[in-house]
Amino acid sequence: MLASEVSRAAAAAMSSASALGLTIDDAMVLHNSNKLTLRLLPCDVLARVADGAWQASAALEVELAQRLAETDSPVAALDPRVAPGVYVHDGFVVTLWTYYEPVSVRAVGPRDYASALARLHAGMRRIDVATPHYTDRVAEAQRLVASRDQTPALADADRELLSDTLQSLRRLIGERGGDEQLLHGEPHPDNLLRAKQGLLFVDLETCCRGPVEFDIAHAPEAVSEHYPSADPGVLRACRVLTLAMVAAWRWDRDDQFPNGRQAGRELLSEVRAALERYGLDPAR
């Protein structure tokens, strides 16, 4: 979120929470990218704030959190003191969540990570919620790469690399992928909390349907060693595909990710390295 919008967004979150009967005196910024995450005090509630265009995604996230809570899945919970929902104030959408105090700064071990992800997938197989397909997200990245107006700073050679990679790996995964199910969509380490309640996944708005390898590809490589049902070939393709997708988003002229352009350059290098390491030819 643009720095110029943070104060208004924080005020919207505080007003929304206050209107629901929570005591709010202050808002601490915990994270700011395309959305703003706040800790509201002294009631200790976590607020996620985005512009109005994210209302449908926020509603999906709230619905999924409610449904997954019934399956005992390892996901962060909505704040139980207020009615679950998406609150709109001053052009911003606000959702309110339980705040979990981190219990450790240590990295999560790959075995525990894989176990939590497998439990999440098991819970997701028990619910039926309409979500996009993972290829819809790939298509979104392809549209960005194809649009010089939307990605004006992307060099021609890099544009061709991302276009070929997205197209070829989307086709390869479609041909070789196995069963599909509901997925988190982006279960990377930044979306996994170590709380006293255990490991919990957050940011459910990226949920989609697809092969489990698409989710596993977002986790550190060692995690896949403890998820034995994953297809190695599909997983390798998914790893490069997700790198290419994130790279495309970082070159979007409207992207608000901190240091996004530098991240985009680094991701392009990672895409090239991964293609070589896995012996994948995006031009085929």
Side-chain angles (χ1 to χ4, degrees), residues 199-219:
L199 298 178
L200 300 171
F201 286 97
V202 300
D203 290 4
L204 298 170
E205 68 189 46
T206 55
C207 279
C208 57
R209 296 196 68 82
V212 292
E213 288 85 0
F214 184 79
D215 258 4
I216 301 169
H218 289 80

Side-chain angles (χ1 to χ4, degrees), residues 108-118 199 220 222-228:
V108 177
R111 185 183 299 276
D112 291 340
Y113 202 130
S115 175
L117 187 56
L199 298 178
V223 172
S224 62
E225 298 173 10
H226 302 281
Y227 208 117

Side-chain angles (χ1 to χ4, degrees), residues 25-37:
D25 294 331
D26 194 16
M28 295 173 53
V29 175
L30 300 181
H31 183 69
N32 182 20
S33 56
N34 291 332
K35 292 176 245 0
L36 185 67
T37 303

